[in-house]
Amino acid sequence: MEKIQAVLQDASGFLPQWLIGVGVLVVAVLGALAAHRFLVALAKRAVGPRRSVAIAILDKTYGPTTLAACLAAVAIVTPLAPLNGDLSNALAHSFAVASIALIGWILIRSVDLAAARYLQRYRADIAENFLARKHVTQVRVFKRVTDTLIIIIAVSAALMTFNSVRQYGVSLFASAGAAGIIVGLAARPLLSNLIAGVQIAVTQPIRIEDAVIIENEWGWVEDIASTYVVIRLWDWRRMVVPLSLERPFQNWTRDAASLIGSVNLHVDYSADVPRIRQRLEKTVHESKLWDGSVVNLQVIDANSRTMELRALVSARNAPEAWDLRCEIREKLIAFLRAEMPQALPRDRADLALPSADHSLRPIGARS
């Protein structure tokens, strides 16, 4: 250590002290980056590719550990660097801000690792995955709320290291007057959405990958963020709605994924309904989309021209229910057209024939 200081003092004879100090810090940071990369590669090779959990932890913590290595290197070489008072104070302040950022970064990564570790026990790649989607929704919402709070606290702590900002914040909070009311009103939507996110995580009116109808649009819940919900619509569009969800919506997979779909047909009064019902049952049993639960055909309405038939069929989930409805509708129409054409809707008209005492007479004939 003394030898290094002597070398630096000798070099200060022809170089500015601030340049030597900055050079020492730069060399220390570069050395820390190289050493950190080497140690991480060595650790991955020692762990081996089979232990994916350890590899994932190393990848997730690569950024925070890199920053920690740089800060440690700066802390070690700072006493050796010939810095004047202003540079030393600026370096100390930057070191404090970087340390706060490092703590916040470590906390966020810790929350991410804990959430990923917790969700490993649940499988989302199976048909009946309600428990997995429930916990995924809860963990994701709580994780994002926690990340938001950590970021706010870290930024606040970093800003409080500046004297001007600290004094302004103290005076602002001490006043508790009009400025506090304005800030409260401005932050009300954000706070209400955060509270709504916690409420959704607890009560779970919607979960990740729930099939829903919102604003007359059908899709799946793709993501639940801190202040909004992303709905993946059936045509691959994305609908972003506020997290408060103040308007009513339909959740097709609230308790179970299976759904009953309906197919309505208008047929003539001469249609053989029992025969159509037999054809429906045969078609449903031949389909791979039917879950084996519900199949039924009823006459639900009649008007002056036709009677309306409603076929009910069940499927394992919403997409299969839609495809099954389309398949049943197509095959029943083909059946009516090919084997029961008299059952297709038609218009009837009665034409009255002229009576016998009003026979036509030649023009100019006399009675």
Side-chain angles (χ1 to χ4, degrees):
M1 186 72 67
E2 295 178 354
K3 292 182 179 180
I4 296 176
Q5 291 179 348
V7 172
L8 293 176
Q9 290 178 358
D10 294 338
S12 63
F14 58 92
L15 291 177
Q17 290 187 354
W18 66 268
L19 183 59
I20 296 175
V22 172
V24 170
L25 294 178
V26 171
V27 171
V29 170
L30 294 177
L33 292 175
H36 177 264
R37 179 174 296 184
F38 173 75
L39 291 176
V40 169
L42 187 63
K44 287 184 177 181
R45 178 170 296 183
V47 168
R50 295 183 179 180
R51 302 186 62 179
S52 58
V53 176
I55 298 297
I57 293 175
L58 290 174
D59 292 336
K60 285 286 186 180
T61 58
Y62 186 83
T65 53
T66 302
L67 180 57
C70 294
L71 291 178
V74 170
I76 292 174
V77 302
T78 297
L80 304 177
L83 299 174
N84 54 27
D86 295 336
L87 288 177
S88 180
N89 293 332
L91 180 62
H93 189 225
S94 301
F95 186 86
V97 173
S99 299
I100 294 173
L102 175 61
I103 294 173
W105 200 354
I106 291 174
L107 291 177
I108 291 175
R109 282 291 181 260
S110 300
V111 172
D112 294 343
L113 290 173
R117 182 65 176 173
Y118 178 79
L119 293 177
Q120 283 183 348
R121 66 185 72 180
Y122 302 104
R123 293 186 57 188
D125 56 346
I126 57 178
E128 299 296 331
N129 56 357
F130 299 106
L131 186 61
R133 292 193 289 114
K134 172 184 176 181
H135 287 277
V136 167
T137 302
Q138 288 180 337
V139 170
R140 186 172 295 182
V141 172
F142 281 125
K143 183 177 74 67
R144 289 181 175 175
V145 172
T146 304
D147 292 346
T148 303
L149 293 177
I150 292 173
I151 292 173
I152 292 174
I153 294 173
V155 172
S156 301
L159 292 177
M160 293 299 287
T161 59
F162 297 89
N163 293 328
S164 58
V165 176
R166 182 172 64 248
Q167 293 174 359
Y168 176 74
V170 171
S171 62
L172 178 62
F173 287 117
S175 62
I181 296 175
I182 294 173
V183 172
L185 292 176
R188 186 181 62 84
L190 176 62
L191 295 177
S192 62
N193 283 324
L194 289 176
I195 295 173
V198 176
Q199 183 180 0
I200 286 178
V202 175
T203 60
Q204 295 209 341
I206 57 174
R207 294 181 295 261
I208 300 297
E209 291 302 325
D210 269 350
V212 296
I213 295 181
I214 297 180
E215 301 291 341
N216 295 325
E217 295 283 357
W218 172 49
W220 295 267
V221 179
E222 184 178 57
D223 191 14
I224 301 177
S226 301
T227 57
Y228 59 88
V229 179
V230 179
I231 308 298
R232 184 179 71 253
L233 302 181
W234 63 274
D235 56 358
W236 297 354
R237 291 179 296 155
R238 299 298 189 271
M239 175 185 288
V240 180
V241 296
L243 196 58
S244 55
L245 297 177
E246 296 177 353
R247 295 185 180 181
F249 62 93
Q250 298 182 34
N251 189 341
W252 288 8
T253 55
R254 177 66 177 85
D255 297 320
S258 57
L259 291 174
I260 295 177
S262 62
V263 176
N264 293 354
L265 295 175
H266 291 271
V267 296
D268 190 75
Y269 278 93
S270 62
D272 188 353
V273 176
R275 186 180 174 190
I276 299 175
R277 184 178 293 112
Q278 293 177 359
R279 182 64 180 183
L280 170 66
E281 294 177 354
K282 179 181 178 181
T283 303
V284 167
H285 282 83
E286 292 175 352
S287 176
K288 297 180 180 179
L289 301 173
W290 186 52
D291 64 353
S293 297
V294 177
V295 55
N296 190 16
L297 181 70
Q298 293 176 317
V299 180
I300 62 172
D301 196 8
N303 53 35
S304 59
R305 295 181 60 252
T306 61
M307 57 181 176
E308 185 176 1
L309 307 181
R310 184 180 68 180
L312 297 179
V313 290
S314 59
R316 286 176 288 271
N317 51 55
E320 292 186 4
W322 173 267
D323 293 338
L324 181 59
R325 290 172 59 194
C326 296
E327 179 183 353
I328 295 301
R329 186 182 297 109
E330 178 183 348
K331 292 185 177 180
L332 285 182
I333 292 175
F335 167 74
L336 294 175
R337 187 177 65 250
E339 302 186 19
M340 201 181 294
Q342 72 278 6
L344 297 175
R346 64 183 66 186
D347 291 328
R348 294 180 174 85
D350 292 333
L351 301 177
L353 297 176
S355 58
D357 56 350
H358 292 83
S359 59
L360 297 177
R361 295 179 180 179
I363 298 176
R366 298 180 178 180
S367 58

